[in-house]
């Protein structure tokens, strides 16, 4: 999360990732073809995004907007630079692993400091990781099976229950950001085993200038509905921040994002759909597209009594979806999903090996099973535009039309994101439309969809319901070397056959920015890193 020259850590894992990135309209000028004036770089950078914000405390951080904001405030041991999915050291200086990839010795930089001037030490790393684990909030799963030990002031050791050859990827995840333990403890924070009941430091992280992070910016204000403001950390230990202020602004309407950008009211827009974005490239506006690290999917509950718990209904839904039709709805850049592993990650299935659309067969499945006319409710977030600017209202209507055509009776249940997401998390949805924004660019990130894992439990799919798929997931989780890619491919293919998920599309993400903004691009997770923008 910095623009200083990175150094590669020993033991960095080899990757197959190759995220595509295209840039058009990158030039300087005073007047855009659409009539807008490009904003000259000033002390303030304004970014428009459709907010999904909830907490800026790294140990409870789980939303995309918060991850973007955190990229300027906090730093991790490793990070991604630009759109390259190869982790690079940040607060770490080097990493060495044992032969079985179960013990990792990490040496820290000796010049990194927090915004309050305190040095970043191994004690801070141990506190941050243990607090993440023991607060037991949503991102705590990142520490499952990991033990952290402070060896000396600049050395920590991580011990894992299973091989983790991808550990550098895990250490890029925003929830594993390092915070100043003394500052957090003084605010009531703790990393003790009972932290979930006793930690009271949550409010610290929304206080201006709290000094708990080591990033090039500090927090000025935090409002989950309107805007999040960062200001330059004047004491930053690395290369100075490019801007005096960064305003991350909640703009849910893509057309408003477009108007703001063209009018010079903002400098970056993150949620303009591809079809619109492609027409905006000009002398003053540059347009970037990148392949998606997310798969758009339908989650089909296996809860007793749910219509989607019927295997015939699940099979009919998977066959009844017109994937090409949905791709037309979503627009530019979207490609078929071949499985739960995105095509930019190791273990992805090749094009053409994904789900097959066969509405006639789907209709026959329902008719033969006497299930024609089965009623199914589709939950979706009606204000959610964070995923490549896709309008979920339009997409849900398209899915409803397609599934009604095969003999189902789909009722739409649109609710605000907070309501829809909570229903999904609680396992209360029958059929739900979501995607999974990964925390890292490694396929281990999507193992949460395995039976009995985080997302599997949301659809009431325990490990004992699909023991072979669960076993393949565990094999992939601990595989090393060349066997690793094969293990993930095998699990991915098995998920296509048995999982109660219908994988729909991989949308492309578009980013439109003023030509005055330099060094801005999606990272491998289709997000942006505020500390790297110049």
């Amino acid at each position: 999360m910095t623009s200083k020259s990175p150094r590669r850590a020993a033991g960095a894992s080899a990757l197959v990732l190759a995220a595509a990135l295209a840039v058009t309209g990158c030039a300087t000028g005073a007047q855009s073809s659409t009539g807008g004036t490009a904003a000259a770089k000033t002390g303030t950078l304004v970014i428009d995004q459709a907010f999904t914000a909830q907490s800026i405390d790294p140990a409870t951080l789980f939303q995309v907007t918060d991850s973007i904001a955190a990229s300027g405030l906090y730093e991790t041991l490793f990070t991604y630079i630009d759109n390259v999915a190869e982790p690079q050291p940040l607060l770490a200086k080097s990493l060495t692993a044992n032969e079985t990839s179960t013990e990792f010795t990490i040496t820290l930089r000796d010049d990194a400091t927090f915004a309050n001037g305190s040095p970043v030490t191994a004690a801070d790393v141990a506190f941050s990781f243990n607090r993440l684990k023991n607060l037991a909030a949503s991102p705590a799963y990142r520490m499952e099976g990991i033990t952290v030990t402070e060896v000396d002031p600049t050395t920590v050791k991580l011990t894992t229950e299973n091989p983790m050859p991808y550990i550098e990827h895990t250490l890029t995840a925003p929830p594993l950001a390092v915070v100043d333990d003394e500052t957090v403890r003084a605010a009531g924070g703790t990393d003790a085993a009972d932290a979930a009941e006793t930690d009271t430091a949550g409010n610290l992280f929304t206080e201006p200038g709290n000094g708990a992070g080591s990033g090039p910016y500090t927090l000025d204000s935090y409002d989950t509905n309107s805007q999040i403001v960062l200001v330059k950390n004047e004491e930053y230990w690395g290369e100075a921040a490019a801007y005096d202020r960064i305003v991350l602004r909640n703009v849910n309407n893509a057309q408003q994002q477009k108007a703001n950008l063209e009018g010079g009211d903002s400098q970056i827009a993150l949620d303009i759909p591809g079809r619109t974005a492609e027409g905006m490239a000009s002398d003053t506006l540059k347009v970037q597209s990148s392949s998606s690290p997310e798969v758009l999917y339908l989650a089909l509950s296996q809860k007793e009594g749910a219509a989607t718990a019927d295997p015939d209904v699940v099979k009919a839904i998977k066959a009844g979806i017109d994937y090409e039709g949905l791709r037309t709805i979503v627009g530019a850049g979207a490609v078929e999903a071949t499985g739960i592993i995105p095509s930019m990650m190791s273990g992805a299935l090749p094009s053409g090996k994904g789900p097959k659309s066969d509405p006639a067969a789907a209709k026959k499945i329902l008719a033969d099973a006497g299930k024609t006319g089965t009623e199914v409710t589709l939950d979706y977030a009606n204000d959610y535009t964070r995923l490549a600017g896709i309008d979920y209202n339009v997409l849900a209507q398209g899915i409803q039309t397609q599934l009604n055509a095969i003999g189902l009776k789909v009722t739409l249940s649109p609710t605000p994101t907070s309501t829809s997401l909570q229903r999904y998390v609680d396992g209360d949805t029958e059929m739900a439309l979501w995607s999974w924004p990964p925390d890292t660019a490694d396929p281990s990130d999507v193992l949460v969809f395995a039976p009995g894992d985080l997302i599997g439990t949301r659809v009431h799919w325990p490990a004992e319901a699909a023991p072979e798929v669960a076993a393949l997931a565990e094999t992939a989780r601990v595989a090393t070397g060349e066997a690793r890619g094969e293990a993930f491919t095998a699990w991915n293919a098995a998920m296509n056959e048995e999982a109660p998920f219908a994988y729909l599309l991989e949308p492309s993400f578009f980013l439109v920015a003023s030509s005055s903004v330099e060094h801005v691009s999606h990272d491998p997770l289709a997000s942006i890193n505020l500390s790297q923008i110049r």
Side-chain angles (χ1 to χ4, degrees):
M1 300 180 182
T2 178
S3 57
K4 59 187 177 299
S5 298
R7 286 174 287 177
R8 184 180 297 270
S13 59
L15 297 176
V16 184
L17 307 178
L21 177 68
V23 183
T24 57
C26 183
T28 57
Q31 192 73 21
S32 77
S33 61
T34 53
T37 301
K41 181 180 291 186
T42 65
T44 300
L45 175 69
V46 179
I47 303 170
D48 285 349
Q49 196 234 1
F51 270 23
T52 54
Q54 190 174 48
S55 169
I56 198 65
D57 178 349
T60 60
L61 193 154
F62 207 57
Q63 300 298 325
V64 173
T65 300
D66 294 322
S67 292
I68 294 174
S71 70
L73 301 172
Y74 303 103
E75 294 181 316
T76 46
L77 296 180
F78 284 77
T79 190
Y80 298 117
I81 305 294
D82 298 328
N83 198 244
V84 181
E86 181 82 16
Q88 302 294 334
L90 182 50
L91 292 176
K93 183 178 180 181
S94 65
L95 181 150
T96 56
N98 65 357
E99 291 185 357
T100 58
S101 295
T102 55
E103 289 186 3
F104 306 91
T105 301
I106 301 171
T107 302
L108 305 179
R109 297 181 64 108
D110 58 9
D111 57 349
T113 58
F114 293 105
N116 60 18
S118 298
V120 177
T121 68
D124 298 307
V125 176
F127 172 82
S128 302
F129 287 13
N130 284 327
R131 182 170 178 266
L132 168 63
K133 176 190 290 186
N134 293 324
L135 271 182
S138 294
Y141 75 95
R142 288 285 168 204
M143 284 297 294
E144 287 181 1
I146 301 177
T147 300
V148 56
T149 305
E150 176 189 355
V151 178
D152 61 42
T154 59
T155 309
V156 293
K157 177 175 286 186
L158 301 182
T159 305
T160 62
E161 293 179 358
N162 297 309
M164 291 186 69
Y166 51 88
I167 190 74
E168 294 95 335
H169 285 281
T170 298
L171 296 175
T172 69
L176 279 91
V178 180
V179 298
D180 180 19
D181 72 327
E182 292 186 359
T183 297
V184 179
R185 289 183 194 277
T190 176
D191 63 347
D194 63 350
E197 292 78 36
T198 59
D199 186 286
T200 59
N203 290 337
L204 167 72
F205 296 93
T206 59
E207 293 177 4
N210 59 63
S214 63
Y217 295 92
T218 63
L219 187 70
D220 184 67
S221 64
Y222 179 77
D223 187 317
T224 59
N225 294 313
S226 59
Q227 64 180 25
I228 301 170
V229 181
L230 279 57
V231 295
K232 178 184 291 186
N233 172 9
E234 300 291 353
E235 305 299 325
Y236 184 54
W237 60 274
E239 185 177 347
Y243 294 88
D244 294 328
R245 300 172 79 238
I246 294 180
V247 180
L248 187 58
R249 199 166 56 179
N250 185 18
V251 180
N252 279 310
N253 186 290
Q255 288 302 319
Q256 187 61 54
Q257 289 193 15
K258 178 175 183 288
N260 290 344
L261 194 59
E262 292 177 341
D265 190 45
S266 66
Q267 287 75 54
I268 299 175
L270 297 178
D271 305 300
I272 296 177
R275 188 176 292 115
T276 302
E278 286 185 333
M280 294 178 67
S282 70
D283 289 343
T284 57
L285 295 176
K286 51 189 175 184
V287 179
Q288 300 180 14
S289 64
S290 59
S291 56
S292 173
E294 301 182 40
V295 170
L296 190 65
Y297 65 89
L298 288 176
L300 307 171
S301 177
Q302 301 301 289
K303 186 177 183 179
E304 185 177 359
T308 49
D310 187 315
D312 290 321
V313 173
V314 171
K315 191 174 181 180
I317 289 174
K318 289 183 177 182
I321 295 290
D322 176 2
Y323 301 97
E324 179 59 25
L326 294 184
R327 198 171 72 85
T328 301
I329 292 174
V330 169
V335 299
E336 66 169 321
T338 59
I340 189 54
I341 298 179
S343 57
M344 49 85 74
M345 291 186 183
S346 174
L349 298 170
S351 178
K353 296 295 183 181
K356 304 297 183 185
S357 177
D358 191 344
K363 194 170 185 178
K364 187 174 186 303
I365 290 170
L366 292 176
D368 290 349
K371 305 292 173 53
T372 299
T374 297
E375 297 181 356
V376 181
T377 299
L378 171 57
D379 272 69
Y380 68 95
N382 60 356
D383 59 353
Y384 194 76
T385 57
R386 199 277 316 162
L387 183 64
I390 295 172
D391 187 334
Y392 275 32
N393 295 285
V394 175
L395 186 61
Q397 290 166 13
I399 294 169
Q400 179 189 41
T401 299
Q402 292 180 5
L403 295 183
N404 284 350
I406 65 170
L408 294 175
K409 292 184 178 178
V410 176
T411 299
L412 300 183
S413 178
T415 55
T417 298
S418 57
T419 302
S420 185
L421 180 59
Q422 193 60 54
R423 281 177 49 75
Y424 183 42
V425 169
D426 292 342
D428 291 337
T429 58
E430 189 170 56
M431 180 166 65
L433 177 64
W434 285 106
S435 67
W436 172 255
D439 285 333
T440 76
D442 186 81
S444 59
D445 201 286
V446 294
L447 287 174
V448 292
F449 284 85
D453 215 311
L454 180 69
I455 305 300
T457 58
R458 291 182 183 178
V459 294
H460 304 271
W461 193 43
E464 52 267 29
E468 293 183 359
V469 181
L472 287 171
E474 292 311 306
T475 298
R477 197 187 306 276
V478 302
T480 59
E482 295 181 357
R484 192 162 186 264
E486 296 176 0
F488 273 100
T489 300
W491 173 70
N492 196 15
M495 288 286 287
N496 275 358
E497 294 297 322
E498 297 193 39
F501 301 100
Y503 311 118
L504 306 177
L505 298 167
E506 293 181 24
S508 280
F509 282 78
F510 285 78
L511 180 156
V512 188
S514 164
S515 58
S516 66
V517 181
E518 302 173 26
H519 203 227
V520 57
S521 70
H522 284 131
D523 65 15
L525 306 177
S527 184
I528 59 171
N529 188 320
L530 300 184
S531 69
Q532 295 179 10
I533 300 174
R534 311 307 296 177

